[in-house]
Amino acid sequence: MQHSAPPLFRQGIPALLKLIVCLSISIALMLIDFRFKALDPIRNNVNWILRPLEYVMMAPRNAFEAISEYLTTRSTLDQENQAMKVRQVELSLLANQSEFLMVENQNLRELMALQKQVPFKTLPVEILFNPPNPISQRIVINRGSNDGLKLGNPIANDAGILGQVVRLYERSAEVSLLEDRDFAVPVQVARNGLRAAVFGAGRGNPLELRYLPVASDLEVGDILLTSGIDGVYPPGFAVAVISKIERNADKNSSNVFCVPVAAVNRYRQALVFLYDPQFDAKAPSSISNKSASGAPLTNTPGRRQTRARGMQ
C-alpha cells in the first residue's frame, strides 16, 4: 500500500516556490534599479501624487510645532531681554564706580604727595557728612581727640586750605569751612607779600578781604596764601584767589571778593595739619621765591604751589 504525502506538505511546496520566485524577481528588480535607475520615473510619479497628501496629513503637526516654537522663542527672548537690561544696569553702575574710584585714587595720590612735602605731621581724614545748617558752613570728619586732633587744627586738601577744627569729639570732629560767616584766615598776597585777612560771608557767598585802603596793590587773579602770623595755619598754603575788586575813593576803602582755591564739595578725603609753630621748623617762605617773570616758584619744600589750578 502506498502512503500519500500529507496535504499540508503538498500545499507548502508550491507556496515556497512562489516565494522564491518573488524574492528572485524582487532582487533582480532591485539590482536593475540600482544599476540602471530604471524605477526612478515611477518613483518620481508616485512621489508627485503622494506629496500633497503628505502635506495635508502633516499640516496639523507642523502647525502645532510652529506655535510651540514661537511661544518658546518669545518667552526665551523676553527672559534674555530682561537679563540683558539688568546686566546693562549692573555694567553702568560698575563703570560709574570705576570712574569714581579712579578720581578718588588720584586725589589720594595728590594728598600723599602733599603729605610728603610738608615738614610737620599730618593726619588723613575723610569727610563724613555736611550738617544741614543753612547758617553755618561746616563738615564732620571721621577723626577726633583719640586720633590726636586738637581744636584749631587746620584742614586742607591738595589744592589748599579748607578750614579748621572748631568742635572736637572722641572719634569725630566738626570743621568750620572758609565760607562760614566771619571765619577769618590771615593771608598775604603771593605776588607782593601784602598781608590781610580773608573773611567768610556765608554759604554761597564769595570770601572777602576787609579793611584795605583804596591804594592797596591788589589785582584780580592774585593768589592769597596763609601768612602764618596767627600760629594756627602754617605759612605758604593757598587759600583763595581774588575774583573782583570794587574801589571806593570817597571812603578810601576797597571791597575785595575772593573764591576759595580748595573745593570742599569735590572730594571726601583731606589732611589735618598737626601744626605747632613752637616745635615745627619753619621752612623758607615761598613768597620770597619768585621767577624772573615775577611768578612765584612752586619748588619750595613743604609748601603748596602759589598759583591756582587753571590759572597758569
Side-chain angles (χ1 to χ4, degrees):
M1 179 181 292
Q2 292 181 348
H3 297 282
S4 61
L8 183 61
F9 180 76
R10 290 197 302 268
Q11 295 176 359
I13 291 176
L16 181 60
L17 292 174
K18 291 179 180 180
L19 179 61
I20 293 174
V21 172
C22 291
L23 289 175
S24 300
I25 295 172
S26 299
I27 293 173
L29 291 174
M30 291 175 62
L31 292 174
I32 292 172
D33 182 53
F34 178 77
R35 181 68 180 82
F36 300 103
K37 309 295 182 181
L39 298 179
D40 281 353
I42 299 175
R43 188 181 296 108
N44 290 336
N45 292 331
V46 173
N47 187 39
W48 182 79
I49 295 173
L50 295 179
R51 182 59 60 85
L53 297 176
E54 181 182 355
Y55 283 150
V56 172
M57 297 296 293
M58 297 294 292
R61 192 203 70 172
N62 293 338
F64 176 77
E65 289 182 352
I67 294 173
S68 177
E69 183 179 359
Y70 171 78
L71 295 177
T72 303
T73 305
R74 179 63 182 272
S75 176
T76 303
L77 289 177
D78 289 341
Q79 294 177 0
E80 292 179 354
N81 188 28
Q82 186 65 25
M84 291 180 64
K85 288 182 178 179
V86 174
R87 184 58 178 167
Q88 182 181 6
V89 173
E90 292 176 352
L91 291 176
S92 178
L93 292 176
L94 289 176
N96 293 335
Q97 186 178 13
S98 176
E99 184 177 358
F100 170 77
L101 292 176
M102 290 177 61
V103 174
E104 188 178 59
N105 185 46
Q106 180 64 26
N107 179 47
L108 290 174
R109 288 177 181 272
E110 293 173 349
L111 288 180
M112 290 178 62
L114 173 61
Q115 196 172 20
K116 293 178 181 179
Q117 292 178 10
V118 296
F120 44 82
K121 293 181 180 180
T122 60
L123 182 66
V125 297
E126 183 175 353
I127 299 173
L128 296 178
F129 60 93
N130 188 350
N133 190 337
I135 300 176
S136 65
Q137 179 75 339
R138 298 185 178 185
I139 56 175
V140 175
I141 58 177
N142 64 339
R143 302 282 188 171
S145 59
N146 290 348
D147 303 295
L149 262 67
K150 298 180 180 179
L151 290 175
N153 283 150
I155 179 172
N157 60 18
D158 65 292
I161 299 295
L162 291 172
Q164 70 178 117
V165 177
V166 294
R167 186 170 296 176
L168 199 60
Y169 306 98
E170 291 184 356
R171 290 183 173 84
S172 63
E174 197 168 320
V175 176
S176 182
L177 301 177
L178 295 177
E179 294 180 348
D180 202 359
R181 185 174 297 277
D182 294 329
F183 183 86
V185 180
V187 296
Q188 59 185 144
V189 181
R191 180 173 54 84
N192 54 24
L194 177 66
R195 286 202 300 267
V198 169
F199 291 85
R203 184 189 299 268
N205 297 320
L207 308 180
E208 297 178 0
L209 273 181
R210 300 176 183 174
Y211 316 122
L212 291 175
V214 173
S216 299
D217 184 11
L218 296 174
E219 298 177 0
V220 173
D222 279 343
I223 310 298
L224 305 179
L225 307 175
T226 52
S227 62
I229 61 174
D230 58 346
V232 175
Y233 296 93
F237 285 83
V239 178
V241 181
I242 296 178
S243 59
K244 184 179 179 181
I245 301 176
E246 296 178 353
R247 290 184 168 89
N248 190 338
D250 296 335
K251 297 183 179 180
N252 191 27
S253 63
S254 298
N255 297 324
V256 183
F257 302 97
C258 316
V259 292
V261 172
V264 68
N265 296 323
R266 183 172 299 176
Y267 305 116
R268 296 190 61 181
Q269 291 76 25
L271 288 178
V272 172
F273 293 161
L274 305 180
Y275 173 71
D276 190 340
Q278 296 180 355
F279 301 100
D280 293 323
K282 295 183 179 179
S285 174
S286 61
I287 305 302
S288 60
N289 295 326
K290 298 183 180 180
S291 63
S293 60
L297 296 176
T298 60
N299 58 353
T300 304
R303 292 293 180 267
R304 291 292 294 119
Q305 60 184 9
T306 57
R307 184 162 295 277
R309 296 181 178 180
M311 299 188 62
Q312 279 89 346

